[in-house]
Amino acid sequence: IYILRSSVSPRSTSFRSSGVMARMARDINPELDIRIFDKGVDASNLDDFLSGVDLYVDGLDFFAFKARRDTFYACHRLGVPAVTAAPLGMGTAVLSFLPGRMSFEEYFRLDGCDEDEMAVRFLLGLSPAMLQRGYLADPSRVNFTEKRGPSTIAACQLCAGVTATEALKILLGRGKVLCAPWGFHFDAYRNRYIKTWRPGGNRNPIQRIGLFVHGLLELQAHDHGIDDQRQGDQNHVMAGDTQSKRNAAITQGPEDQQEEVIGFDRRWPVH
């Protein structure tokens, strides 16, 4: 087991040591052979990090795209199996990449994309079924630009359990392992389990339609934001104009004052 420098508890300096994590792991299994990379891992030492490794389990943050791409590329080049599982809503979506089969890059097609596009492609590639979408209570919680996305501890625990089982099957050579372009998604909230198959990964016509629809929705949301801003500016101008007329009316005599009624025809003021 290789351990990167990490923080178990942000409020406790004693837990900010990879040595503490190693001791915690040895408490569970004293026979573990642990190698610590206390300065972290990057592209310059990935080969050393993966040396002698039988399996890589992806525990990176969803938005750590460069680190994930570098690591999966190295796994594919060195022939190291790799498993990634995402906590989505109250479920988990799982993909495995095996030596000699479809690679991470061949499946997700992230080359040339900015980080927002990478996030969309990674999510849609992980979860073609999108089982979690139907019960998302607050869509504003999802914001790829701000690197925010909702999940639950139940989903994280499901990820751990499913990943451990996939690891066991790969390491022992027992049981059928679904590898990319195959994957699966289990959602405990909806009581549903779906096997997904996307030959070509994100180049698959179904995936391309999904990416196209997402682009249209993003454009629509952008246009609505502009319309809302214009409406707000217009209301602000109208409020100022109305107040000015009321102030002018106060200075007039009673015989000169008239009642003014302001109505609306769609978005345009009618006097």
Side-chain angles (χ1 to χ4, degrees):
I1 295 178
Y2 292 175
I3 297 181
L4 283 68
R5 182 179 178 184
S6 183
S7 172
V8 177
S9 172
R11 293 178 294 179
S12 173
T13 56
S14 64
F15 276 89
R16 293 182 182 179
S17 167
S18 50
V20 173
M21 296 181 66
R23 288 197 297 272
M24 292 172 63
R26 289 193 180 100
D27 285 342
I28 298 171
N29 184 355
E31 297 182 1
L32 286 177
D33 180 13
I34 300 176
R35 184 180 177 192
I36 300 173
F37 287 74
D38 56 1
K39 294 183 179 180
V41 175
D42 56 29
S44 66
N45 62 352
L46 264 173
D47 283 15
D48 188 26
F49 176 70
L50 294 171
S51 177
V53 167
D54 297 310
L55 172 70
Y56 172 74
V57 174
D58 181 18
L60 295 169
D61 182 80
F62 179 91
F63 296 97
F65 298 119
K66 184 181 186 308
R68 180 173 284 108
R69 294 179 70 191
D70 288 344
T71 305
F72 274 85
Y73 174 75
C75 286
H76 184 70
R77 176 169 51 82
L78 298 172
V80 177
V83 179
T84 185
L88 302 174
M90 298 184 190
T92 179
V94 183
L95 280 172
S96 296
F97 295 90
L98 302 183
R101 306 297 292 272
M102 175 175 271
S103 71
F104 180 91
E105 281 296 329
E106 288 170 338
Y107 182 84
F108 285 104
R109 303 284 174 177
L110 302 181
D111 193 38
C113 301
D114 60 26
E115 290 216 341
D116 285 353
E117 180 69 13
M118 286 185 189
V120 174
R121 286 175 173 260
F122 189 50
L123 175 61
L124 194 59
L126 272 171
S127 174
M130 293 294 285
L131 295 180
Q132 76 282 3
R133 182 176 53 190
Y135 59 86
L136 179 61
D138 184 3
S140 68
R141 295 287 184 174
V142 180
N143 190 313
F144 289 155
T145 301
E146 298 178 3
K147 297 183 178 181
R148 291 190 290 107
S151 63
T152 62
I153 186 61
C156 294
Q157 296 288 359
L158 285 171
C159 285
V162 171
T163 301
T165 304
E166 289 297 290
L168 180 146
K169 292 194 294 182
I170 292 172
L171 294 175
L172 298 183
R174 295 171 55 186
K176 183 179 181 179
V177 177
L178 295 176
C179 65
W182 286 92
F184 61 91
H185 190 164
F186 170 68
D187 191 285
Y189 184 85
R190 297 187 62 188
N191 303 316
R192 294 191 65 187
Y193 169 83
I194 292 181
K195 292 181 182 179
T196 57
W197 183 53
R198 292 295 185 270
N202 278 333
R203 290 184 62 186
N204 186 282
I206 297 176
Q207 295 296 96
R208 295 174 70 177
I209 290 172
L211 293 169
F212 177 74
V213 170
H214 181 273
L216 290 180
L217 293 176
E218 285 289 305
L219 181 61
Q220 185 181 33
H222 177 72
D223 290 343
H224 284 171
I226 294 176
D227 288 343
D228 290 343
Q229 180 63 42
R230 288 174 176 171
Q231 183 66 53
D233 293 343
Q234 180 183 327
N235 291 342
H236 180 73
V237 171
M238 288 175 52
D241 184 59
T242 302
Q243 185 63 41
S244 298
K245 291 184 178 181
R246 286 176 179 171
N247 292 338
I250 293 175
T251 62
Q252 297 174 352
E255 65 281 2
D256 297 326
Q257 294 184 16
Q258 297 180 354
E259 181 181 5
E260 180 182 31
V261 178
I262 299 180
F264 289 88
D265 179 11
R266 294 185 181 177
R267 291 184 300 172
W268 301 102
V270 177
H271 297 276

